[in-house]
Each structure stands twice: as structure tokens, then as C-alpha cells.
Amino acid sequence: MRIAKKTSTITAFNRLSLLLAGAGLAAMAWAAEPAPKDTTASNPLGGKAAAPAVAKGTPGQPRQITWEELVPKDWDPAKEFKGMDLSALDDGDPRANELLMKMQEVSNNAPTNPAMNGTEIKIPGFIVPLEEAKGEVTEFLLVPYFGACIHTPPPPANQILHVIPQKGAKFRAMDTVWVTGKLQTQRNDSMMGVSGYHVSASSVTKYSGSAK
């Protein structure tokens, strides 16, 4: 594959890498800068391994989930791009921009997992602030890997949670937190990315490496 000089072509190549690997399973293929050490799909917080997800939560308690559970098992984001020869795209080829737009459409319309709708959940992630008041974040996106939506393009919609905390949270962009609350399959468009889920958060707490 030749080295493309046009940003659109490079971005298209990087985004296709993510789509081919599956939503959320190779998120760092989009990254322009290295992620925290040891970041993986099952450990998105980079070296801070979370406690294993609990299949069935304790009655009356939120269920700790992984980001993979938010993606429908039968979703294949690469289906529309199979068989494409990216090496055939020259620098400045208009098809590169068309491909990029198509990839963005697939990403923005990534389907959610209906089985998760209405579940009381607890999940770790990184904060992308949307609204702030008096030094507190009152609305934000939660994403699974460092830099998403800020330093790198947003992940698929089914890997972004739109969070409204009951109380303002004193956190900054890319802080790692636990978010607890009711998960809903609800789309929201923001200037930072399209989210497929909404969480009315009962609590937003500093990530400590465990669910407690």
C-alpha cells in the first residue's frame, strides 16, 4: 500500500481498520497518538484492569458491564467494505473522501443492543464534557478509550454513552470514572459525536480500578 499524503486518505485507511476489526474491538486503529500502555478492548482503561463483569447483578444493585455488551453480536460494520482494495486509492483520489463519508455514516448509525435497554448498569470510561456549570460537568459523553472524540475521531455510536448526572461532577476531560445509572437505547447528536445510549447517572465517581 502506498503512503498517502492526503489527510482524507489516511483517515479513511485508519477508520476502515477499525470497522474491519469490529466496533470497539480495535478502537486504537483510529488513534493519532498512542493510548495508555496496555490498552485493550477488554481493558480499555489502559493498565487499570477493571473487575470482571457480573453476568447477573445482585437484586437492587446495578450490573457492572463491559463495552462489548453494548454491541449487537450480529453487527458486522465491515460488511459494506469487504473486497475493497485500498491500495488502489491514489493521493487525492475523490473516492477516498467518499469512502470516509460512508464509514462515518456506518459509525454514526451503529446499532445498539436492545437487551440492554432499561438496565441499571455500572461501567468505567473516559469523560468528554459537553456542558459545565460552576466548575462541574453537568453533561458529558462516556467513551471506552483515551482521546476519543477529542484527540481522535469518535468511536461508533454504540460505543458512546450520553450521560446526564443527577449532580454536577467535578471532573475534567479524559478523567476516568465509574458511571452508575439507568441505561437507555437513545440516540443523541452532539458536536463531539453521535451516541447510541443515554444514561441518567445516579453517581459519577473516580475510577479506582475496582467496582467498589
Side-chain angles (χ1 to χ4, degrees), residues 72-152:
K73 293 182 179 180
D74 60 350
W75 182 51
D76 180 10
K79 180 173 60 177
E80 299 182 50
F81 307 101
K82 289 179 179 177
M84 288 187 177
D85 182 10
L86 293 180
S87 63
L89 296 179
D90 294 328
D91 296 354
D93 191 324
R95 291 178 298 171
N97 190 55
E98 292 176 5
L99 180 60
L100 177 60
M101 293 179 65
K102 188 173 183 179
M103 290 177 184
Q104 188 63 62
E105 181 180 0
V106 170
S107 180
N108 288 346
N109 291 287
T112 53
N113 182 355
M116 301 301 295
N117 191 43
T119 303
E120 291 288 339
I121 60 97
K122 187 165 192 173
I123 188 171
F126 294 86
I127 282 184
V128 178
L130 294 179
E131 296 289 343
E132 298 183 25
K134 298 180 179 179
E136 296 181 332
V137 178
T138 57
E139 179 182 358
F140 63 90
L141 300 181
L142 191 73
V143 294
Y145 58 93
F146 185 85
C149 301
I150 295 180
H151 302 300
T152 69

Side-chain angles (χ1 to χ4, degrees), residues 4 11 17 20-21 29 40 45 50 54 66 69 72 88 96 98 109 153 161 165 168 186 194 197 207:
T11 306
S17 295
L20 292 176
T40 65
L45 300 183
V54 180
T66 65
E69 293 180 75
E98 292 176 5
N109 291 287
L161 277 59
Q186 179 178 315
V194 178
Y197 292 95
Y207 181 78

Side-chain angles (χ1 to χ4, degrees), residues 3-51:
I3 299 177
K5 296 181 180 180
K6 296 293 184 178
T7 301
S8 59
T9 305
I10 294 173
T11 306
F13 290 169
N14 290 341
R15 291 197 175 188
L16 185 56
S17 295
L18 171 62
L19 291 170
L20 292 176
L25 301 183
M28 296 322 301
W30 273 358
E33 301 176 0
K37 186 178 181 181
D38 299 327
T39 295
T40 65
S42 59
N43 180 24
L45 300 183
K48 302 178 181 178

Side-chain angles (χ1 to χ4, degrees), residues 161-184:
L161 277 59
H162 176 230
V163 182
I164 302 291
Q166 288 183 357
K167 297 181 179 179
K170 292 186 178 181
F171 292 104
R172 297 177 298 177
M174 289 295 114
D175 277 349
T176 52
V177 298
W178 285 104
V179 167
T180 302
K182 187 174 183 178
L183 182 71
Q184 295 176 300

